[in-house]
Amino acid sequence: MTCPLGERVVRFKNQRNIELCGTLRYAGGRDIVLLVHGLMSLRDRVRFPEIAVALADKGVSSLRFDLSGNGDSGGTFSYANSWGEAEDIHAAVLYARSELEREVTGLLGHSKGGLAVLLYACQHDDVPRVVGLAPSFSRKAGLQEVFGYDDTLATVAKEGKAEVVWRGVKTPRQPHIFCLTQQEARTLDMAQHCPCINRTRVLLVHGAKDVLVPLDASRSYGKHIEGAAVRVIADGDHNFDAPGPAKEMIAAVVDFFTSASNS
């Protein structure tokens, strides 16, 4: 398929027939990288548009999309939807390969999306390079700092569920309110799944000043995935808000996806 250079909105469906909405930035080459957002986020947050531009400057297309239940995509939000998010990623991979006729050479996921792209790699191991950008290692990562997860977990254990209010990293912002159940509160054991990654090359990029998902999360992936590299951005926070750390992060990501030594 020949696509016009620049950006356009695209839509495709996952295996549950839910329509997902994304932004394709076409650079003219065969390679494409998929960008996956984090918990209750959107495809245009956390430097994703800038990463897309930087990749395009190197001749690499990108597709960033809203996971089901988020943003412009259909479906209902679920906190413990990591397997469903991996399914959404699979749908995007298939769409890029079949409809866009591109070669998916990389996946990048931020925070909970970082967990999702690594879970996808555990399942399929068919994309050459994967970047976990401040990836959570479990569902608990960051939630205690945001809304007191210990108290919430105690309520879930006692009553079977608890109402959770999430305002996002920056306020003011329209809060998201959802119900956390006992099933959703269970921890996903990524240590069990990581050894399934054999062919995929993995890079973990993490800010040293991240207070939402500790740096130890990336180090844990580094211990459980053979050959995985960990890149620490000294002054980076969870979303790489400051220009300096953002520039360093984007350079590291783009180099990993485009350098011949990473083939």
Side-chain angles (χ1 to χ4, degrees), residues 1 3 12 24 30-34 63 89-107 120-121 123-130 199-200:
M1 172 184 287
C3 300
F12 54 96
L24 168 67
R30 289 284 301 171
D31 294 353
I32 189 168
V33 171
L34 308 186
L63 172 62
I89 295 167
H90 190 213
V93 169
L94 295 178
Y95 171 74
R97 288 171 176 166
S98 61
E99 298 298 322
L100 301 179
E101 298 178 356
R102 304 272 83 81
E103 181 179 356
V104 181
T105 55
L107 303 174
Y120 174 90
Q123 290 179 294
H124 300 278
D125 206 17
D126 64 348
V127 173
R129 284 154 277 177
V130 170
R199 296 188 299 270
T200 300

Side-chain angles (χ1 to χ4, degrees), residues 84-262:
E85 290 167 354
E87 180 184 290
D88 288 348
I89 295 167
H90 190 213
V93 169
L94 295 178
Y95 171 74
R97 288 171 176 166
S98 61
E99 298 298 322
L100 301 179
E101 298 178 356
R102 304 272 83 81
E103 181 179 356
V104 181
T105 55
L107 303 174
L108 179 147
H110 174 252
S111 195
K112 189 166 179 279
L115 184 154
V117 296
L118 289 160
L119 192 59
Y120 174 90
C122 295
Q123 290 179 294
H124 300 278
D125 206 17
D126 64 348
V127 173
R129 284 154 277 177
V130 170
V131 172
L133 186 61
S136 55
F137 194 73
S138 74
R139 294 193 185 118
K140 292 182 180 179
L143 298 184
Q144 181 176 352
E145 290 80 359
V146 174
F147 47 66
Y149 189 78
D150 287 344
D151 292 339
T152 302
L153 190 59
T155 301
V156 171
K158 181 179 180 180
E159 302 180 9
K161 61 182 180 180
E163 184 178 89
V164 174
V165 179
W166 169 275
R167 294 185 176 276
V169 176
K170 289 186 174 181
T171 55
R173 177 180 169 186
Q174 183 67 30
H176 298 272
I177 302 175
F178 64 96
C179 182
L180 184 68
T181 65
Q182 285 182 331
Q183 181 179 1
E184 290 187 313
R186 293 171 185 161
T187 301
L188 180 64
D189 185 7
M190 287 302 292
Q192 175 185 349
H193 298 293
C194 284
C196 296
I197 301 177
N198 296 305
R199 296 188 299 270
T200 300
R201 294 194 62 177
V202 174
L203 172 67
L204 297 318
V205 181
H206 217 115
K209 296 183 178 179
D210 190 337
V211 297
L212 289 180
V213 177
L215 176 57
D216 283 348
S218 282
R219 288 174 173 158
S220 294
Y221 280 115
K223 293 176 183 177
H224 289 94
I225 301 174
E226 185 175 356
V230 179
R231 173 70 178 271
V232 180
I233 308 297
D235 293 320
D237 59 12
H238 188 61
N239 288 337
F240 299 92
D241 287 319
K247 183 178 180 180
E248 185 179 349
M249 176 272 290
I250 292 170
V253 166
V254 172
D255 180 68
F256 180 71
F257 284 134
T258 61
S259 174
S261 63
N262 291 317

Side-chain angles (χ1 to χ4, degrees), residues 22-90:
T23 300
L24 168 67
R25 188 172 188 91
Y26 182 57
R30 289 284 301 171
D31 294 353
I32 189 168
V33 171
L34 308 186
L35 310 178
V36 182
H37 66 76
L39 177 64
M40 289 184 175
S41 190
L42 300 169
R43 66 186 187 270
D44 281 342
R45 292 206 172 117
V46 194
R47 306 292 181 178
F48 277 16
E50 295 165 71
I51 293 172
V53 170
L55 287 169
D57 288 343
K58 295 289 187 177
V60 178
S61 300
S62 63
L63 172 62
R64 58 190 192 271
F65 64 98
D66 295 330
L67 294 163
S68 55
N70 293 269
D72 295 325
S73 291
T76 302
F77 172 80
S78 173
Y79 168 60
N81 192 34
S82 298
W83 292 106
E85 290 167 354
E87 180 184 290
D88 288 348
I89 295 167
H90 190 213

